[in-house]
Structure formats: structure tokens, C-alpha cells
Amino acid sequence: MRRWFVLPLIALAAPALASPKTVVPLDGAWQVRIDPTDTAAIAAHKREAKWLPAAVPGSVQQDLIAAHRVPDPFKGTNEAAIQWAGLTKWQFRRVFDVTPAMMQRNHLDLVFDGLDTFATVSVNGTVLLTTDNAHRRWRVDAQPVLKIGRNEVLVTIASPIRTLQPMVLAEKNPLPGEYDSAFGDEPKGKQTSPYIRKPKYNYGWDWGPRIVNTGIWRPVRLEIWDDARIDTLRVDQEALTPTEARLSAKLDIAVETPGVATIRAAVAGPDGKTVSVDRTVTLVKGNNAVSIPLAIADPKRWQPVGYGAQPLYTVTASLGGAEPTPEDSVTKRIGLRTVELIRKDGSFGFKVNGTPIFAKGANIIPFDSFPARVTPAYMETILKGARDANMNMVRIWGGGTYLDDAFYDIADRMGLMVWQDFMFGGSVTPPDAAFRENVRIEAEEQVARIGSHPSVVLWAGGNEVLSGWENWSDRKAFKKAVGADEQERIGAGMAVLFDRVLREAVTRNAPGTPYWPGSPSTNYEGPVDTDKDGDRHFWDVWSGSKPVENYLDSCPRFMSEYGFQSMPDLSTIREFAGKGALTADSPVMKAHQKFLAGEGNERLMMYLRDRLRPARDFADLVYLTQVNQAEAIRIAASHHRACRPVTMGSLYWQLNDVWPSISWASIDHAGRWKLLNYAARRFFAPQAIVAERKDGATRISLISDATTLVDSRWRVRTMTMDGKVLKDTTAALMLEPLSSRLVATLSDDALFGTAAPTASYAVADLQLDNGGTSRAIIERALPKDMAYPDPGLSVRWTGTDVKITATNLARAVMLDFGAVAAQPSDDGFDLLPGESVTIHVVSDASATTLRKALILRTLAR
């Protein structure tokens, strides 16, 4: 291997050949114990003062569960039993060997991709590093304190609450945070979470438990190198035309020995063809920024799902040029695309590769309370659920973590656009410069790591920080309490953070991706969280207890949050609640309901009383809550699509769960679809018919996301419950590209005539020439008042396929397998009199078990 000439040139001795960078993983088996200085914790938990097995990446909470020192907090009512772990100071240790050859190298860097959070790292008794940000990578050269043979690394992690609490309690007016603790470890209104760079959801949310994680939560390794290493690689797209893509491979290179080096950048296309460029550069000691231009002929663009293919390119940067074994190399997968944020007269939307795209999707919260145990396969299951439900966008909510590279790789392959929040969950941020500098480093690292993924189409400053500061009552009270000067200091600090620091991190590290200061926001151009400008979070329905029909009152520019709760699958409930009798008020059900501090199930019951029939038993209650959720979000999302082009996005809250719970998710923590996810596949279909009934009339709109004309025929029939057709209207129509078109406004008199409101209904169908269909049921009364007949359902099994036939109208048919885990190919569907549907059931259970377990549920009494 060629080593560059060492400067100064008066060094005449021929230099030895530099060896490639070597990585020694230090993941796996560690040990953990209570820090000996935490005498109070030792007195209460003597066994944990001795070393016990630990897993890295992970957390002490996971280690305690694995060692059966605490019960699983996801089961029963066990959450309280694990709280002491987050209030305790811990030590993690590992012994590793260093060889004589390793000690001959210039650098032996100890690298932690994630330490949560206030950590002190010692090697062989010498303190090398202190940390204060769980979202950053930490690196220190350990060679000066390493020795040949056995070495010990000791990581001491303090309780974030105990560390910050004295300061917070001394404050007359602490910064407003998110959710108060239910366990008495922090006084109400005096939260430590606003002051720390740690995942906010660890402190509890209205959908997840309070588990204040402590640990080495991402991989740790030794990086062994000599003269130089590549610290980061990002790929900027400087121009993209039909004939050529011009890229720039941007490298940050850490240099120990200055000199001249050859750097190669190569890009391999989806067809396997490779283009490479060598560049000779002079490197100085310290950090070096190097840019290498690349050109791709006949580029293939990455398209969002539904708009084309997702070709990906592989860019590799090598330090050492064409040598067989470079000193260091880094690889990135990229896609070629353009993204524009549509902003005109308040509008907000996305244009990808010149096509204005209506964003259909949901918000993603952390996949688990313990992120180290989230696998790529699990993330793929959830994202596949989104794609299969015809979503094209997910929003990564700002109170969690920056997700692993595997998540973005999956989104790239699936064509799912990603709205990426920076990790700010809602609390007011500290105004001091040191906090902003800490965040600046975090943001630079994370945007450089994630920003080259084509799926990431927006970076947003965070979740509800700006709107909370402007609109929330506790923030208004805080501003009044601290006075004008302090209010100005804190507000100015947030403006600098969200309008400059984070914006500049995106501009420098992902220049082809738009930045948005927060969600909701108007980019500092006017009041936030309104229908007329920017994105909107709408919680009058559910949180505000308003009727579901309030979704129809306006057309927001972009709805980035709205939601409605339901219970998870009964098999999931049984996994955390056991086999005993259950009600909505059972202690275990309240423990797994975080809305209104456990009292949120009453909101479920309120909406059931308002809209649906009484439940026959607990399993029926689970079904009814899922029907209510699916119907509420269908009404909202369909309305948003009908509002196009005024409205250009609908992202419901939320796609997934952080633990098994009663929540807003459409896919529960076990990966099982609720009825909402099936409904989303229908109301987010590429072409859909929307029927909105309000004020005694029904508006029929036809939606198409296609970029070309689509032949269609729409039909509206008025029917009785047994299938008699009272009226039948049909018309052919060419659906225009990227459109919503109002095709009819029908008064109740015109649509239903003299038919009894509770015993008749209308069916709006859209039939496409390609065989696709879309359906909407129109009813003048709420389901609780409709005179649904016995649907007369019959079933016929063939293996794990079941054919279901209805004699009369069957509304919201659910295949309920009770405690048997199963996922039907469709669920929550309507059947008209005489219609049949064949459903394939996926389950680990046998066909015989499925047959015995199946109960068909409908809205009929």
C-alpha cells in the first residue's frame, strides 16, 4: 500500500507502510452493578451492588429484567417496579485484550455511538471522557492508557433525574416540560427532562410508560488507525437532469500525519456500472474537508411509492486511492431525486421530481421503550404495514431517537418518504449557548449520517415546541411568571436554535432537503397551528372530546397530526393482561392506558356511547373501539384528500406502539393490524370515492393520485337493509391526474326520498377500468341508531382461506380470533346483501384452531 509522503520533507527516512483501519467491536457481554458511591441505592438493592451480566447495546433496565431482578414492565401492572433503576447510579465494565501489534498503531480510539446520558468513561482507572448527550457519538483516543494484555473499560452513568433535580428544584420557575411523573420521583411541574439531551419519551408520554433508561444503548468499538481515517461521508446532489446527475462526495478526514494522499470516490448504479474518480490532496493535521465530484450519465430517479421505481446507487470513498486495501473506506446508499417544499400564500406540500404529491401516512413513535432491542426485521414489518396500507410518507416524531441506518435503508427501498423531526418533544428549551452548541454537534452528526437517504424529504425542528410556546396555557402562565426580559431571553434562544442552528445543520449537510422549524409551524411567517398556513395538529376530536364530524369543518394546508384511540388486538391484550376477566376499568387495562393518566378509557367509552351500540362483552368492546377509530380517521383522511389542492397531506397519529397499550396506533406493538390499518388501505387507495354527509346533503368526490388519466365509472345506489335498490345513478368519468373532483352534491331528499332514515342507506362505488374499486357507505343516522338486521353471515373454509357471504347488509365485518394471534388479508369491511369475500388468514395456529376460534362481529345488535 502506498503511504503519502510525510511532511516536513526533511524527514529522509522511508516511512513504513500504513495499515488499514481496524475495527474491534466491544458489543456483547458486559457487567453492570450499582455504583459503590450510591449508598442509598445499595442499601435498598443489595444484590444489585454485585456485578451481574449486562448486554451492550442495551440498558440496565433490560439487564435487570433478564436477570429477573425486576418484573417485565410491559406485563400486568409492573411499570412501578422498575422506576428505581432510573434513579440509581450504575457502573458498566468490560475487559478486553490489546495485542502488541495493536499498540504499535498511532491511534486506538474508543468509540461509543450512544451513551445514555451523563456518563464517565475510564480505562484502566484513568478518566478519558465525560458525556452529556444520548443523541451523539463519542470518541476518545485510549492508546495512552492502554497496555498489552488485559484492559478494563468502566462506564459510570449517573441518574439523569438525580443529577439535574437539585438545579430544577432551586428554580422558582422551571422550564415547562412534557408529562409529569406518576411515581413521585419528580414534583408536578418541576421536570428535569427539558434540560437534558435524552429521548423525551423515556420520561413517559400519553401512549407509553415511564422508563428512564440508563446504559450503553448503541454499539461501542475500538477503531485502530495510523495516519488518517474518514470520519464522515455524505453525498450532495448538485444537479439532476434527464441526461446527467452531478454529485459531490463530501468527506471529513481526521489526519494525524500530514502529507499527500490519494482519495477515490466511486458510484455504482443499479445496473452494476461503476464510475470512479481519484483525487490527490494535501492533508493537514486535524480535520480536513475534501470534496470529490462525480457524474452519472442517464440517471435513474428515486420515486415515492406509487410514482415509479426506487433505484439506488452505492457511493464508496476510499482513503488510499486504487490500492487493494485502502487505509479506510466508507460506503453510502443514495437515491437521485429532487424535493421542493411548496410554499405559496400559506400552502404547504411536497413536490418530488417535479410532481406535487399528496402525502398519505402516519406518525411513527419509538418502536420500543428499549430501542437497543428493535431489530431491522421488526421495523420492516411496521413499514411494510404502512406501505401496504397505501401510505407514502411517515413522520418520525421528535420525542424519541434518531433511528438506526437500517430504518432509512428500508424506507429507501420501499419508496416511503420520511418527514424527520429533530429530537425535541415539546418542552421549552434552555436558552444558554452551551446547550445550543451541544445540539449543534448532535445535529451536524445526525444530518450527515442520515441526510443522504432519498427517503428523507424534510427535516423539522421538533414537535410542538414553537406552537406550545405560542399557544399552550401552561406556557402562557410561565411567560407571565418569569417576566418580559426572561421571556424574551428564552424565546430568542429558541429562535436561534430552531431558525439558525438546526437550519444551518441541514443546509450544510443535506442541501437538497428542505428544513421546517417545527411541527406545526409556519416558518416564522405568522401564527402557528392554523388551517390557513403551514402544517396543523388537530386535536379537537379526541383530546377535546368534540364530535368526529368536526373533522369536516375546514381544509387545512397539511394535517401532520390528528388521531383517535382504540384497544389493540385481543391476542395482544391477553399477552400483557393474562387470562382473567377484563373490563375497560380493570387495573391492568388502566395501567396500559396513558391518556389522562390512565383514565383515558372513559374517552373511549364516551365516543362509543355517542356513536356505536353497547358492547356485548369485553371482546366485543375491543372490536367496537377499533371500528370507532377506523371510522373517525376515515372521515378525516378522506376529507383531507377531497380538499386537494388546498390540503396536500394527511398524517394520522400514529402508526405504531412503543409497548402493548390502548393507544392511537393502527398497528399494535405485536405488529398486528388494527381495523384502522385495513381501513387506511381503502381510504388511502390511489383512486378513491369520498362521500361526505353534512347539513342534510352528501358531497361525492373522486380522488386520483395517478399522474395520468384514469378511466372510471362511479355509481350511487340507495338501498334497503335487505338489498332492495330504491335509486340507482351511474356515470362514466375520466379521472384527471393528481386531482380531487367534486362530481355531485345530493340532498337527502334527492338521495333517499321517503325511505326511513334508520332502515336505508346509500352506496357510492368507484369502478376503474383496471379492475380497482372503492366504496363509501352513506347513512343519515349514526350507527347506534341504525336498524341493522342480522347480516346472515355464512362461512366456508378452505385451508386457511375463509369465504364469508352476507344475506343482508353487514357493516364493519371483523374476523375475531380471540386470544389466537392471526392477521386476515382484509378486515373491518362492509358486505352488501348477497356479496361474498374470500379472506386469507396468516397465523402460526393451525387451520383447525382458526376455524374453532373465529367469531364474526358486525355492528348489528
Side-chain angles (χ1 to χ4, degrees), residues 29-53:
W30 286 55
Q31 292 178 304
V32 66
R33 71 176 180 185
I34 298 174
D35 185 278
T37 64
D38 195 342
T39 55
I42 290 173
H45 305 279
K46 292 182 175 61
R47 288 201 302 163
E48 286 70 34
K50 297 179 180 180
W51 293 108
L52 66 145

Side-chain angles (χ1 to χ4, degrees), residues 179-201:
Y179 289 89
D180 286 323
S181 173
F183 301 100
D185 51 344
E186 293 186 295
K188 302 294 185 185
K190 291 185 177 291
Q191 300 171 16
T192 55
S193 63
Y195 299 89
I196 189 173
R197 292 307 297 146
K198 174 179 174 60
K200 301 300 184 182
Y201 80 106

Side-chain angles (χ1 to χ4, degrees), residues 9 93 156 297 326 441 458 542 574 596-597 612 622 629 741 813:
L9 295 178
R93 77 172 180 183
T156 303
I441 298 170
L458 182 77
W542 184 264
R574 285 304 180 191
L596 295 181
L612 301 183
V622 171
Q629 179 192 40
R741 179 173 176 180
V813 180

Side-chain angles (χ1 to χ4, degrees), residues 460-537:
N463 175 76
E464 297 182 349
V465 179
L466 305 178
S467 59
W469 182 248
E470 184 173 309
N471 297 325
W472 294 358
S473 60
D474 67 328
R475 272 58 169 167
K476 291 179 179 179
F478 171 80
K479 288 186 280 190
K480 182 178 180 180
V482 299
D485 290 346
E486 184 67 0
Q487 174 184 335
E488 174 64 24
R489 187 174 80 94
I490 293 171
M494 286 194 291
V496 171
L497 177 62
F498 293 106
D499 196 32
R500 191 177 76 194
V501 173
L502 298 180
R503 190 186 298 274
E504 289 176 358
V506 175
T507 301
R508 280 194 297 267
N509 295 285
T513 304
Y515 173 77
W516 193 240
S519 183
S521 171
T522 55
N523 203 21
Y524 293 99
E525 295 170 6
V528 300
D529 205 13
T530 68
D531 286 330
K532 69 177 183 179
D533 193 0
D535 69 311
R536 181 89 201 271
H537 292 190

Side-chain angles (χ1 to χ4, degrees), residues 107-112 115 121-123 126-131 137-146 153 221-223 225 229:
H107 288 271
L108 280 78
D109 290 355
L110 191 58
V111 183
F112 294 88
L115 286 168
V121 179
S122 301
V123 176
T126 300
V127 174
L128 295 182
L129 178 68
T130 58
T131 75
R137 182 186 69 231
W138 298 92
R139 176 188 295 270
V140 63
D141 188 356
Q143 189 185 47
V145 299
L146 290 173
V153 56
R221 61 193 174 276
L222 272 178
E223 289 190 4
W225 57 286
R229 62 174 174 81

